[in-house]
Amino acid sequence: MTTFPLHTSYDPVAGALAPARSWLTSDAPRIDLAGDWQFRLSPAVPGTPGGHGVLSEESPTAFAGPDYDATGWDTLAVPSHWVLAEGFRHGKPIYTNVQYPFPVDPPFVPDENPTGDYRRSVDVPAAWLESGQVLLRFDGVESHARVWVNGIEVATFTGSRLAHEVDVTEQLAAGVNTLAVRVVQWSAASYLEDQDQWWLPGIFRDVTLLHRPEGGIEDVWLTADYDPATGVGTILPEVRAAVGAFPVRLRLPELDVDVTWDSPQDVAPVEVGQVSAWSPEEPTLYEATVSSTAETITLRTGFRRVQIDGDRFLINGRQVTFSGMNRHEVHPDRGRVFDEEFAREDLALMKRHNVNAIRTSHYPPHPRLLDLADELGFWVILECDLETHGFEAGGWVDNPSDDLRWREAYLDRMQRTLERDKNHPSIIMWSLGNESGTGTNLAAMAQWTHGRDATRPVHYEGDYAGEYTDVYSRMYASVPETESIARDDDTSVLGRDITAGDSARQRSKPFLQCEYAHAMGNGPGALDAYRELVDHYPRLHGGFIWEWRDHGLRTRTANGTEYFGYGGDFGEVVHDGNFVMDGMVLSDSTPSPGLLEFAAVEQPVLITPTGDGSAVVRNRRFIADTSDLQVSWSIEHDGRVVTEGETALVDESGAPIPAGGTGSLHLFSELPTAQPGAEVTVTVAVVLAEQTTWAPAGHVVARAQWQVGTPGTFGGANLPATGRARSAVVSLGDSPAVLDGPTLTTLAGAAVRGPHVELWRAPTDNDHGTNSTNYDYADPADRTGGVMTPSLADLWTQAGLDRLVRRVVSVTADPTSRTVIRRVSAAQSRAAVDVTERWSAQRDAEGTVEAVLEVTMTPNTGWHDVWPRLGLHLELPTDVDGAAWFGTGPHDSYPDTATSVRLGRFSAGIEELTVPYARPQESGHRSGLRELVLRRGGQDWLQVSADADPQGRRPGFTLSRHSAHELATAAHPHELPNPTAHHLYIDAAQHGLGSRACGPDVWPTAMLRPQARTLRLRFRAL
């Protein structure tokens, strides 16, 4: 019997492995082996020194024999991950970002090594064995597999997210056959798969038995080239087949192509005439068949040409801008097991939020995902199944990337990546992997890739010197650094041991950020600043958000409460906490406000007013004009629509606006007369005129809004007060506010507590971050690393912002007013805020009395760090269950995430007013507040009107079932206490969000530094 390398071998594969080839649709017979397999889990690898005695009553490989009695074994679905079996009965998942969950001792792994043995039978037709070949295909196994057929070991392989085909022709017999697979969780290959995700062992992609007929086609590669100058398409074919398979016929019926090649030497390029080019906006695919006498292969191809011209990345002769997402494969119940319906909706959700590009972080996805990318339209950077990030903590000592013993494993991974997916027009770059340092093995991968596919560039962010890659790629470069890279007057480039020559080389290439904003929890901020640079500097080609989706796994507490688990929730020895919850989409597929902000920043059409009823339209699309779009517009007075209309999105000549072009748009000629003091706004929505495969007709792809006759921005400066005319001051006792000395006890007949001046917010994941320079301590333009400081959450806690106490300094009162002076501070702190509260009352023209509260908050000089918030906190009855408001919405916004909101009138239940992030944190702040109506039991109860301050600034509000302090102490939503009060925060200001959980800090203009502010509020019982 052949002896195969153990799971700690450097060799990636051994045995009867067939050469890597494309994932193709063939009419050759196949048997899908999905379903229940017999399964047994062992705590160590049988037959190894560390697994001695694991199977004390049998030999280590006895289970593979046809006559083995597996009575008593469990059953496990294939594909699946054994640690996600119902009830976690076969162990539990492990999450790490950078850490290895085993000692760093390459290529060795611990003896404590979960090992799954799989068995099933398959009935093989006799005709399959009369001619041809039979392959057993595995599309994904984590992390090391050994395969037996009828008790005969045939192969071993690694590369969890890669395809492997095993030649089992000689081992099969007609009729019933026994397949056995041993899957080892930890192997030498695990050192190459440290990819910021759950470690999820098992056979998790398809397993298929394939009959390869004699005279069949082993592989096909149709490169569909497009000449942007002429519009002519050319098929560059590569056909791998035995001589006996010829003649081979190529057909593209839609293009009237019907070519027959009589021998391998006859295979040659085929010019097909005028074609429609493939792009994300117009993903035109042509069905092709390649046939021999024994087999027909069907595939879809799209014509496009990828070029790099100096520092421009061009496709079909036009520069590309990536509005991209990094996408892991993850499902809250199935892990990385592919579900086509789920994946299709995932990509449709991307399209609906103006995503045009995907980086497959950090491995090839299921091949059907790429079919969907071809069909729906995405640029794809396809990444190899490689990351060795855990070596960074040790200074990259022993990193496999620069160790020749790992060379074949690196090359095997790249070869399998490229060969499987080479036919997809959506793939416009190959990526060598992620965060694996640098070294000779990566250079060898790039060299092989360049030699194998000259039509696509090579990407790898870790090649800081640009020695073997074709584009300059970075992660989390700040706004100033990104701008410096874009300009020609700055020649420096950051990186390890980068010379002036390296810098010059990198700056001669197209620049993209493979990760530029980290979507963990509430955020990211400042997306608009990056996009403004991309629109201004041709060298910049956009980038990819980290990342698309939270990785929460559905689990339950001991009492049955369901929640989405993250690192540490499954008893891991080492883990990286909720760092796996860093997506634009929550685990239950709910889009976050961050995704809505991204969609607004990346919208394909920009509308800029040039007059009250006209605008300039800029079409930022890649190739599509505006003929598929319509414009809906409305005019609002104080947020109420007074007139509206629709028009085609065309210029003054009536022609659609071409991609990259601009045009004038006329909406209306006259404005309806507004009441004095009313805010007049024009709101424009660009919508799909007809249904597409990813959105219905009327779906909004872009928005714009502007004020008429009033300068300023929504929630910003110079906005007028709104509301009814008011008469002279009246008795405070007639108002809806009841005070007992300095204390407010009742509002509109309900017991309340507060309002207390509040500086604390439940820290966001970005507030907890320490990944980058704190811009309040260092120059944002400093690219040397800056001053690394504790997280803002730690600084705020050290300053005592979460434990403020209050002292009444004085109370003065008369029948019409009451003034309370307080000092707010924290233990062992000299820093304080002096607060003056003045209560009064006014009667409006209709006779209704309102309570008026003016609060002035003035800090002393003892404050040294930014504040989370500055505002008032009111505790309300727990039957307060919703709100309607005139302000910005419909979702929340912060100083650096305000592009996506608009001024209007909105309403929502209390559950809809905050976001259930995986770790509770600040959310729900809606800025630019004019008027707020609180509801109790679904009925209007209390109206709060907010005046602009002397600088024209308006507050924002948050209404939540839980206080900031309750949110800050809970690790998961289900750990929040049953409310004893509901909580209203009215904030004069909030600190920005930034991206510091992994990316840049809050930009200085969005920071909340200690400052004096005034709030003026009016309360009316309803």
Side-chain angles (χ1 to χ4, degrees), residues 336-402:
R336 282 188 288 279
V337 176
F338 184 74
D339 179 278
E340 183 159 335
E341 182 179 352
F342 178 80
R344 181 181 288 276
E345 176 53 30
D346 218 30
L347 298 195
L349 189 62
M350 286 187 178
K351 294 286 286 188
R352 293 196 293 271
H353 289 87
N354 296 329
V355 178
N356 71 1
I358 298 169
R359 177 180 176 227
T360 68
S361 52
H362 298 292
Y363 44 83
H366 190 283
R368 275 294 293 157
L369 190 282
L370 298 169
D371 285 343
L372 296 177
D374 293 341
E375 173 189 325
L376 294 173
F378 292 91
W379 308 125
V380 175
I381 298 179
L382 191 74
E383 200 142 84
C384 184
D385 190 8
L386 176 65
E387 182 168 336
T388 67
H389 204 170
F391 285 90
E392 183 179 30
W396 296 106
V397 173
D398 295 327
N399 183 23
S401 295
D402 205 32

Side-chain angles (χ1 to χ4, degrees), residues 18-26 28 133 135 137 163 165 210 212-213 215-223 236-243 245-246 248-250 261 264 267 289-292 295-299 415-424 430 448 452 456:
R21 65 192 185 108
S22 302
W23 192 81
L24 297 166
T25 299
S26 167
Q133 183 185 33
L135 301 179
R137 180 183 176 95
E165 292 181 336
L210 306 173
R212 302 298 309 133
I217 299 169
E218 294 307 305
D219 199 7
V220 170
W221 184 4
L222 299 183
T223 299
L236 306 173
E238 179 182 288
V239 178
R240 194 174 84 211
V243 172
F246 285 81
V248 169
R249 183 183 186 188
L250 168 68
W261 299 303
V267 177
T289 59
V290 181
S291 305
S292 68
E295 180 180 20
T296 296
I297 286 172
T298 303
L299 67 158
Q415 290 162 4
R416 291 183 185 279
T417 295
L418 188 152
E419 297 295 352
R420 192 197 73 171
D421 297 327
K422 55 185 178 284
N423 279 293
H424 291 283
W430 302 112
W448 180 87
R452 180 69 177 117
R456 297 177 174 103

Side-chain angles (χ1 to χ4, degrees), residues 413-471:
R413 286 171 182 261
M414 194 66 228
Q415 290 162 4
R416 291 183 185 279
T417 295
L418 188 152
E419 297 295 352
R420 192 197 73 171
D421 297 327
K422 55 185 178 284
N423 279 293
H424 291 283
S426 57
I427 298 173
I428 46 81
M429 257 192 286
W430 302 112
S431 180
L432 305 181
N434 185 66
E435 293 176 322
S436 297
T438 190
T440 181
N441 293 333
L442 287 160
M445 292 169 74
Q447 182 180 27
W448 180 87
T449 304
H450 282 127
R452 180 69 177 117
D453 183 6
T455 69
R456 297 177 174 103
V458 171
H459 167 276
Y460 176 66
E461 184 267 344
D463 178 24
Y464 298 114
E467 294 174 326
Y468 46 84
T469 49
D470 301 307
V471 296

Side-chain angles (χ1 to χ4, degrees), residues 681-860:
T681 53
V682 178
T683 303
V684 180
V686 179
V687 303
L688 293 176
E690 297 180 356
Q691 179 180 340
T692 69
T693 57
W694 46 270
H699 168 73
V700 177
V701 300
R703 291 186 189 273
Q705 189 180 59
W706 60 87
Q707 290 183 288
V708 176
T710 305
T713 59
F714 305 122
N718 301 320
L719 297 181
T722 61
R724 301 175 179 88
R726 287 163 179 83
S727 64
V729 173
V730 297
S731 171
L732 183 58
D734 294 334
S735 80
V738 177
L739 291 95
D740 181 6
T743 305
L744 176 69
T745 62
T746 305
L747 268 176
V752 299
R753 293 186 60 192
H756 299 306
V757 168
E758 188 63 80
L759 303 180
W760 176 251
R761 75 181 183 192
T764 66
D765 288 309
N766 290 313
D767 294 338
H768 281 291
T770 59
N771 187 72
S772 61
T773 299
N774 182 327
Y775 289 157
D776 212 35
Y777 285 74
D779 182 354
D782 180 4
R783 291 182 279 125
T784 63
V787 179
M788 302 306 289
T789 63
S791 71
L792 285 178
D794 288 344
L795 291 173
W796 293 338
T797 302
Q798 292 165 16
L801 301 190
D802 60 335
R803 49 183 173 83
L804 296 176
V805 293
R806 297 155 184 88
R807 175 171 63 88
V808 175
V809 177
S810 65
V811 181
T812 58
D814 60 41
T816 62
S817 69
R818 184 164 306 182
T819 300
V820 182
I821 297 176
R822 308 178 193 268
R823 172 160 277 219
V824 178
S825 190
Q828 190 52 36
S829 175
R830 293 180 181 271
V833 178
D834 292 317
V835 181
T836 300
E837 302 170 15
R838 185 177 186 276
W839 288 92
S840 61
Q842 289 181 335
R843 189 186 309 273
D844 71 9
E846 298 175 356
T848 302
V849 177
E850 296 177 326
V852 180
L853 172 62
E854 186 168 281
V855 181
T856 300
M857 300 163 284
T858 306
N860 66 7

